[in-house]
Each structure stands twice: as structure tokens, then as C-alpha cells.
């Protein structure tokens, strides 16, 4: 006897939850976008100047990372800045090996001459928050173990500059940049030095709609319905919507003044639904005398640089993607 599973919830096109607890993340959106969600297998040979490798960092959790290694023709004595990356997807969808991240972070690894390490975050609803936060922080502690010589990963032990580790994340992954930086400020990371945080289009949110949420255009990568569904699936049962991970400038959080965090480069898209909350976060950081810079891409929507079709077909999107990468590289070089 085969019982039919019943659909109990979905994020249209992206994910379906069934009554037996199973989750199907097969892409069912417009077919022209499917390639963005296709996984890219790791390749240890250099393709367009970058090699990739997947490494398990916690066998109990099955937690993995993908390492992007640029083909640096500099002499091997020169250690490379290291970016620990947290992918987006509202804590519910996407994977570190998706083509949308691969096409962006190979560019950053190559252009910045930096090693990028992207964490395969556990996803909700199977793993509600703070699972993804724990994964991000575990990855940082794994780097500390490598730096101490307690563990060994050849690419990183040979080439990573553990004195220049940056956190970078897209959308929900940018929320993790704030959260993991905050946790890191409460422990001794040495010999790792957290040199900076780069939240790109963070998904900051309050239970009351902001003007930008009501006025800015929705995109294939972000709609209000999708936002509401992901927040509900990601939060532990009974959590308020103004949860600290979504609203680090809200009343449920210790004041910004008490945070021990590195310099930040906050990247904002002018037409992002989240823009008002991102600017509120920026003002709260400034008020608390935190070292935070702002990089705004005019005329752009949420996570525009991940949409390879727009980057290739629209000259303005292509130019703004280059401007974003250039801004990130300048920030890394200064720190």
C-alpha cells in the first residue's frame, strides 16, 4: 500500500514540504533559471584560474565546505586572504555548490587573489535556526584548528593567511556575517584574526513592513511571499518575527555597543526590498561607533549579481557586478 504524501507548505518554484516531514527542493520555477540552481562538481584542476574542492569539517553533522583556490602565480611564500562564505536562500533553500554562487565566487577568488571557503549550511525546515548559525561558527572554529596545526587541509595550511580572515555572505548568509562575527567576538580565535565582515544585501526584517518592502519591485530571486514563507519555516516554533537573526537592531538583542566585531563593508542594492532595514542597521552600527562602510549599487535589486542571465545580458547589471567586486577587493586590501 503506497500512501500519497500530502503537500502541507511550499515556497513556490523552490521547495515543497509534505505531511511526512520530507522536503523536495527540485526547481520548478521558470526553466530558463534552472541552470542557476544546478550543482557544479568540484574540480581540482584550474578552470579559468580557479580550482575547487569539497571537504567535510564535522563528520557528526556531515558538515562540508567548498574551497575555491585561485591559481596564484605569485611566489608561494605569499599567503592569501581567506573569505568564509555563507550562501543565501532564506535559510531554507540553495546549496554552496549551486552555479549562481560558483559563477560569482570563482570571480571573487580570481580577482581578489583570495581563497573562498563556502559552507554547506543546514537548511530549514528540517534544521530550523540557529542550525545555520552554528554551522557558520563551526566553520570559523575549524579554521582556528587548522591555524593551530591541530588539523590539516593542504590548500589552507599551505596558502591561507589566517591573519586575514573575512566573513562574507549573501542575503540570509549576510545575516550570518553579523551573527557569526558577534559570536566570534566572545571567544579567543587566535591565531586566526577576523579582519572584516562583508554582509551583501542582508535579509534584515521586522514584523511591520518597511516602505522599501512595499514599494520596491520583486525579483525572481526574492518576493514578499517567499520572504514570509522562508522566515516562518526557518524560525524555531514560537519565535517572534523580530528575531535577533532577522533583526539584529531590534529590541530582542543586546545593544550594538556591546558587540566586539571587526570592520564591516555593508553592501546594499538601491532597489532592494530589504533596503530600509539595511539602512536602519547601518545607522545603528554607526550610532554604536562601529567601523562600518557602505557600498550602494544604484538601480539594482536584491542579489542582482547572482542572476547570471542579467549579468551577461544587461550592461548596467554587468557593470554594477564589477563595481561590487571591485569594492569588496578594495575593502579586503585595506584590512
Amino acid at each position: 500500500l503506497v500512501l500519497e504524501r500530502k503537500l502541507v507548505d511550499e515556497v513556490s518554484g523552490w521547495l515543497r514540504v509534505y505531511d511526512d516531514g520530507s522536503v523536495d527542493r527540485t526547481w520548478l520555477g521558470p526553466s530558463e533559471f534552472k541552470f542557476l540552481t544546478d550543482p557544479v562538481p568540484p574540480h581540482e584542476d584550474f578552470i579559468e584560474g580557479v580550482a575547487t574542492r569539497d571537504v567535510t569539517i564535522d563528520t557528526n553533522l556531515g558538515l562540508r565546505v567548498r574551497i575555491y583556490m585561485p591559481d596564484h602565480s605569485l611566489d608561494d611564500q605569499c599567503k592569501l586572504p581567506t573569505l568564509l562564505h555563507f550562501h543565501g536562500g532564506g535559510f531554507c533553500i540553495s546549496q554552496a555548490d549551486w552555479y549562481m554562487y560558483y559563477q560569482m565566487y570563482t570571480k571573487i577568488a580570481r580577482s581578489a587573489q583570495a581563497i573562498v571557503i563556502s559552507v554547506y549550511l543546514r537548511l530549514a525546515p528540517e534544521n530550523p535556526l540557529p542550525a545555520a548559525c552554528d554551522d557558520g561558527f563551526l566553520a570559523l572554529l575549524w579554521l582556528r584548528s587548522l591555524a593551530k596545526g591541530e588539523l590539516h587541509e593542504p590548500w589552507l595550511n599551505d596558502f591561507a593567511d589566517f591573519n586575514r580572515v573575512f566573513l562574507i555572505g549573501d542575503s540570509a548568509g549576510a545575516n550570518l556575517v553579523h551573527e557569526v562575527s558577534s559570536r566570534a567576538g566572545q571567544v579567543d580565535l587566535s591565531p586566526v584574526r577576523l579582519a572584516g565582515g562583508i554582509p551583501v544585501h542582508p535579509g534584515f526584517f521586522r514584523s511591520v513592513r518597511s516602505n522599501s518592502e512595499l514599494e520596491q519591485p520583486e525579483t525572481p530571486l526574492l518576493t514578499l511571499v517567499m520572504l514570509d514563507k522562508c522566515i516562518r519555516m526557518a524560525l524555531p516554533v514560537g519565535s517572534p518575527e523580530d528575531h535577533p537573526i532577522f533583526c539584529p537592531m531590534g529590541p530582542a538583542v543586546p545593544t550594538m555597543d556591546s558587540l566586539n566585531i571587526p570592520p564591516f563593508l555593508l553592501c546594499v542594492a538601491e532597489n532592494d526590498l530589504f533596503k530600509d532595514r539595511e539602512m536602519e542597521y547601518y545607522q545603528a552600527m554607526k550610532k554604536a561607533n562601529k567601523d562600518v562602510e557602505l557600498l550602494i549599487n544604484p538601480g539594482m535589486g536584491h542579489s542582482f549579481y547572482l542572476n547570471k542571465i542579467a549579468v551577461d545580458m544587461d550592461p548596467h547589471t554587468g557593470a554594477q557586478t564589477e563595481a561590487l567586486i571591485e569594492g569588496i577587493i578594495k575593502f579586503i586590501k585595506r584590512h
Side-chain angles (χ1 to χ4, degrees):
L1 179 66
V2 179
L3 293 175
E4 280 291 308
R5 294 187 303 175
K6 284 198 177 67
L7 184 69
V8 292
D9 210 348
E10 67 176 328
V11 178
S12 182
W14 296 93
L15 142 164
R16 290 144 302 283
V17 184
Y18 293 94
D19 58 355
D20 62 357
S22 61
V23 181
D24 178 9
R25 292 183 171 85
T26 311
W27 172 253
L28 296 179
S31 56
E32 66 267 26
F33 288 107
K34 182 187 179 298
F35 78 101
L36 292 172
T37 70
D38 287 340
V40 179
H43 51 85
E44 299 211 0
D45 50 329
F46 288 98
I47 297 176
E48 294 185 350
V50 179
T52 59
R53 166 186 289 179
D54 284 347
V55 176
T56 298
I57 66 169
D58 185 312
T59 46
N60 293 330
L61 292 174
L63 185 61
R64 296 182 300 145
V65 297
R66 166 152 297 188
I67 305 173
Y68 295 83
M69 171 63 75
D71 186 7
H72 54 301
S73 47
L74 311 164
D75 94 28
D76 285 348
Q77 299 308 305
C78 187
K79 299 273 185 165
L80 302 177
T82 299
L83 276 58
L84 184 59
H85 171 250
F86 309 129
H87 64 73
F91 301 113
C92 295
I93 42 189
S94 84
Q95 290 285 347
D97 60 0
W98 275 15
Y99 180 75
M100 67 166 75
Y101 301 112
Y102 176 87
Q103 60 91 21
M104 180 63 177
Y105 286 90
T106 46
K107 270 186 212 160
I108 288 179
R110 185 171 58 241
S111 311
Q113 281 294 295
I115 298 171
V116 177
I117 303 163
S118 188
V119 186
Y120 287 87
L121 301 166
R122 282 176 292 166
L123 300 176
E126 307 97 312
N127 302 284
L129 292 168
C133 310
D134 297 343
D135 293 347
F137 189 54
L138 272 171
L140 187 57
L141 297 181
W142 175 69
L143 290 182
R144 182 180 69 180
S145 298
L146 293 175
K148 283 180 164 179
E150 296 166 354
L151 298 172
H152 192 73
E153 164 46 50
W155 282 9
L156 301 180
N157 287 96
D158 293 348
F159 299 111
D161 183 352
F162 293 114
N163 199 39
R164 292 179 69 212
V165 172
F166 297 81
L167 305 182
I168 186 169
D170 317 84
S171 194
N175 297 36
L176 292 188
V177 171
H178 177 89
E179 173 66 20
V180 174
S181 295
S182 304
R183 290 190 189 189
Q186 299 169 18
V187 300
D188 179 8
L189 277 181
S190 59
V192 165
R193 181 178 76 97
L194 200 53
I198 309 168
V200 186
H201 309 171
F204 295 145
F205 173 89
R206 285 185 184 272
S207 50
V208 180
R209 290 270 190 245
S210 68
N211 288 340
S212 60
E213 284 170 52
L214 295 169
E215 293 164 9
Q216 295 297 350
E218 299 181 321
T219 72
L221 293 175
L222 181 65
T223 66
L224 287 176
V225 171
M226 190 176 156
L227 163 66
D228 293 344
K229 285 273 181 99
C230 285
I231 287 172
R232 201 182 70 244
M233 288 182 185
L235 285 176
V237 176
S239 296
E241 283 188 322
D242 292 7
H243 189 282
I245 292 165
F246 287 105
C247 191
M249 59 286 183
V253 193
T255 59
M256 293 267 189
D257 309 55
S258 64
L259 294 180
N260 173 23
I261 54 176
F264 268 38
L265 173 68
L266 174 63
C267 303
V268 173
E270 184 188 27
N271 299 346
D272 195 339
L273 297 177
F274 291 120
K275 185 180 109 175
D276 287 357
R277 297 300 178 217
E278 292 164 349
M279 295 308 294
E280 186 186 337
Y281 171 81
Y282 175 72
Q283 296 303 337
M285 290 273 276
K286 278 290 196 196
K287 192 175 171 202
N289 292 314
K290 299 304 171 195
D291 183 345
V292 56
E293 298 171 47
L294 193 58
L295 189 164
I296 299 182
N297 287 107
M300 292 288 102
H302 188 72
S303 296
F304 65 89
Y305 53 91
L306 296 180
N307 183 348
K308 184 78 162 61
I309 300 170
V311 171
D312 289 348
M313 304 299 287
D314 174 49
H316 184 55
T317 305
Q320 288 303 317
T321 300
E322 291 308 314
L324 175 63
I325 293 172
E326 193 52 45
I328 289 169
I329 291 171
K330 282 180 177 164
F331 178 77
I332 292 168
K333 283 185 172 161
R334 281 200 304 278
H335 297 89

